[in-house]
Amino acid sequence: MKKYLLLLSLLTFCLSQAQQILPQRQRAEVIDNILKDRFDNLLPTLMDNSGFDMWILISREYNEDPVLKTMLPATWLNARRRTILVFYRDKDNNTLEKLAVARYNFGENIMSAWDKDKQPDQWKRLMEIIEERQPKSIGLNYSDHFNICDGIVKTDYEAFMDYLPQKYKSRVQSAEKLAISWIETRTEKEMIIYNQLVDITHDIIAEAFSEKVITPGVTTTTDVEWWMRDKITALGLKTWFHPTVDVQRTAEELGNHLYAFSNRPENMVILPGDLLHCDIGITYLRLNTDCQELAYVLKPTETEAPDFLVEALKKGNRVQDIFTSNFKTGKTGNTILKESLEQAKAEGLRPAIYTHPLGSYGHSSGTTLGMWDAQNGVPVNGDYPLLENTVYAIELNTTVNLPEWKRDIRVMLEEAGFWGPNGFRYVNGRQTKLLTVPRVKSHQGN
């Protein structure tokens, strides 16, 4: 109870302080408490739903299974030697055994089940555990299509199968479904934290796209990118990709979608009248964000963004609304994509949708809802169903023609969204108003 109350106080602190980042020791306490909650209260249900009564994860130091990496105790930065985890679910007795076939306890959540003095061979000890429990189905992390669920390496798989008694070989199956559900499912405690993560991300963008960072005619897009990177580091956080900043302006023609992410020119000087776009994500408390927002650089005679850009952003928000209104538990990503694109186009919009799961990883496991170069659907990954208690980077754009600029622009947006029993919500809101550089301030007096 004491640890639970401590966790609640830390989470309350997170909510009340937008950029007050927890010290490392307190982060570790939060991470380990969340892991305990996931092991004790979430994993049994996930195993029952997937049909596995035994799940085995095998990793070696510095070559970790991506799923096992999310299970590491807070003070472990890597696996140690060869680490083997065994989860055994006895549904009849409503128990879940958590065993580490390793020389050490796996933190406080999973105890060591291997005494090397009694059984020198680690693989033989694993086989003893299997024989003692007689599992009906054994899940290993291999997958053709979901990279995060393909964590067992060739040497470990072959060694495992060589040691495994013949009668169990036919019971070994891909744990793809179980691994995806572990990676994609968020708990109530995690969602409290997620709100702060997105809030921090929004704050970084707001500061980057302001006069504190940008001096029009002097500051370059690359300057802002590195400022974001330094800001994240200064806050004691990490990013899972290098931030990007790009410009759309009257003198440029619209490039392809890759322009904003890999083909854009570096060190473009930011000028009055520019429409700025950024893409940024942070990693904190083992969760990730992914956010794209827009800002307008005011001309000397302007106090707000032009109406035609305000209306363009509204069209982007409308695509978001259409898209998320089509979410339904059990629908595949490909179905939601198709319905949303058809509806948006019927309204005269020019959308592209490329939304991905978000959570333990930036590009996480779960259903894929389009890719920028796969607007007709994504085989296999897009056929996976949308499930509850999952987070997605609602990433999309709409192309808008601006007669005032005599060209098309692309309104690119991305926000973390949660799908749960009560439907869809943005984790911490979304952009519905253009940021301006500089911010408009009211002045009093003559």
Side-chain angles (χ1 to χ4, degrees):
M1 175 62 79
K2 184 178 179 181
K3 284 188 175 182
Y4 180 73
L5 291 175
L6 175 62
L7 175 63
L8 284 180
S9 67
L10 291 175
L11 296 182
T12 301
F13 178 77
C14 287
L15 279 174
S16 63
Q17 302 291 328
Q19 286 194 21
Q20 292 295 318
I21 310 302
L22 293 176
Q24 291 290 348
R25 183 175 181 177
Q26 290 181 319
R27 292 188 209 185
E29 292 171 355
V30 171
I31 288 169
D32 285 340
N33 272 281
I34 285 175
L35 275 174
K36 178 174 173 54
D37 177 49
R38 287 177 64 84
F39 285 135
D40 293 347
N41 301 315
L42 176 62
L43 186 55
T45 299
L46 300 182
M47 291 188 71
D48 291 346
N49 291 343
S50 66
F52 286 105
D53 57 350
M54 183 171 283
W55 189 19
I56 300 175
L57 297 86
I58 307 171
S59 279
R60 280 177 289 169
E61 196 167 6
Y62 307 129
N63 192 28
E64 289 81 14
D65 176 328
V67 177
L68 185 142
K69 199 168 182 66
T70 70
M71 299 175 172
L72 289 172
T75 55
W76 286 36
L77 304 184
N78 302 92
R80 296 179 180 175
R81 302 183 183 180
R82 175 179 278 110
T83 296
I84 302 174
L85 301 184
V86 178
F87 300 101
Y88 177 67
R89 170 66 170 157
D90 184 340
K91 191 174 181 180
D92 292 337
N93 294 309
N94 194 27
T95 60
L96 176 68
E97 288 186 273
K98 305 180 290 294
L99 308 171
V101 187
R103 295 288 287 144
Y104 315 92
N105 290 334
F106 198 75
E108 296 183 3
N109 289 314
I110 305 176
M111 298 298 102
S112 172
W114 179 32
D115 185 338
K116 193 173 182 179
D117 293 331
K118 293 181 179 179
Q119 172 52 268
D121 191 313
Q122 185 181 21
W123 290 110
K124 287 184 179 179
R125 177 57 187 142
L126 175 59
M127 298 308 130
E128 290 173 359
I129 290 172
I130 293 172
E131 288 278 25
E132 289 164 4
R133 287 155 184 80
Q134 302 276 319
K136 299 181 180 66
S137 57
I138 300 172
L140 296 180
N141 287 350
Y142 57 88
S143 171
D144 288 335
H145 300 283
F146 291 86
N147 56 314
I148 293 172
C149 307
D150 192 33
I152 191 167
V153 299
K154 182 175 184 290
T155 49
D156 285 337
Y157 177 81
E158 290 178 347
F160 175 80
M161 295 304 291
D162 285 344
Y163 274 88
L164 189 67
Q166 186 63 39
K167 68 177 182 178
Y168 293 106
K169 292 184 187 296
S170 63
R171 304 181 195 183
V172 175
Q173 302 173 47
S174 166
E176 178 183 275
K177 181 179 177 182
L178 176 55
I180 292 173
S181 63
W182 171 265
I183 291 294
E184 75 170 349
T185 306
R186 302 273 67 81
T187 64
E188 184 177 351
K189 293 178 182 178
E190 287 176 297
M191 290 312 302
I192 295 173
I193 289 172
Y194 228 136
N195 181 73
Q196 193 218 7
L197 263 75
V198 180
D199 190 33
I200 294 169
T201 310
H202 287 163
D203 286 346
I204 294 171
I205 294 171
E207 189 173 356
F209 281 170
S210 77
E211 63 274 19
K212 293 181 181 180
V213 176
I214 297 174
T215 300
V218 176
T219 308
T220 69
T221 52
T222 304
D223 291 336
V224 181
E225 291 171 356
W226 281 107
W227 180 92
M228 287 179 165
R229 189 73 179 269
D230 286 337
K231 178 70 174 182
I232 292 167
T233 301
L235 289 171
L237 304 175
K238 295 181 179 179
T239 180
W240 58 279
F241 66 93
H242 185 69
T244 64
V245 175
D246 62 277
V247 169
Q248 296 180 88
R249 55 171 59 129
T250 57
E252 309 288 342
E253 290 191 10
L254 183 64
N256 64 29
H257 181 83
L258 278 175
Y259 172 85
F261 305 103
S262 65
N263 291 340
R264 68 195 184 287
E266 294 186 356
N267 290 307
M268 287 187 68
V269 176
I270 296 170
L271 300 173
D274 283 349
L275 180 64
L276 305 179
H277 163 263
C278 71
D279 191 0
I280 179 176
I282 66 170
T283 301
Y284 179 44
L285 296 173
R286 295 200 177 170
L287 294 171
N288 295 274
T289 65
D290 198 358
C291 188
Q292 296 176 44
E293 291 194 1
L294 302 166
Y296 176 72
V297 184
L298 296 172
K299 297 177 181 179
T301 57
E302 294 175 320
T303 58
E304 58 186 16
D307 288 343
F308 58 84
L309 290 180
V310 172
E311 291 303 312
L313 176 58
K314 288 181 180 179
K315 292 181 179 179
N317 290 150
R318 178 56 187 155
V319 175
Q320 290 175 321
D321 291 340
I322 291 170
F323 177 51
T324 58
S325 71
N326 282 307
F327 279 25
K328 183 178 180 181
T329 301
K331 267 190 190 180
T332 68
N334 287 336
T335 298
I336 296 169
L337 174 70
K338 182 175 184 293
E339 292 175 348
S340 301
L341 290 176
E342 288 177 351
Q343 184 178 344
K345 290 175 183 177
E347 292 188 15
L349 299 167
R350 298 158 65 188
I353 296 171
Y354 33 96
T355 286
H356 57 86
L358 184 68
S360 301
Y361 291 94
H363 291 152
S364 203
S365 281
T367 189
T368 298
L369 301 105
M371 292 183 175
W372 69 268
D373 57 351
Q375 289 297 285
N376 291 321
V378 181
V380 184
N381 299 63
D383 295 321
Y384 191 81
L386 175 70
L387 299 177
E388 293 178 357
N389 299 314
T390 51
V391 174
Y392 298 87
I394 307 300
E395 185 177 10
L396 47 74
N397 75 64
T398 188
T399 301
V400 179
N401 182 261
L402 299 182
E404 296 83 356
W405 283 7
K406 299 179 181 179
R407 57 161 291 186
D408 287 342
I409 67 163
R410 191 174 285 119
V411 177
M412 293 178 283
L413 300 170
E414 186 171 18
E415 294 286 359
F418 174 73
W419 177 250
N422 297 320
F424 176 84
R425 66 175 174 85
Y426 286 100
V427 173
N428 187 269
R430 60 169 174 170
Q431 183 178 25
T432 57
K433 184 177 180 181
L434 289 170
L435 296 168
T436 60
V437 183
R439 298 288 191 273
V440 178
K441 301 173 183 177
S442 60
H443 297 281
Q444 295 180 348
N446 298 324

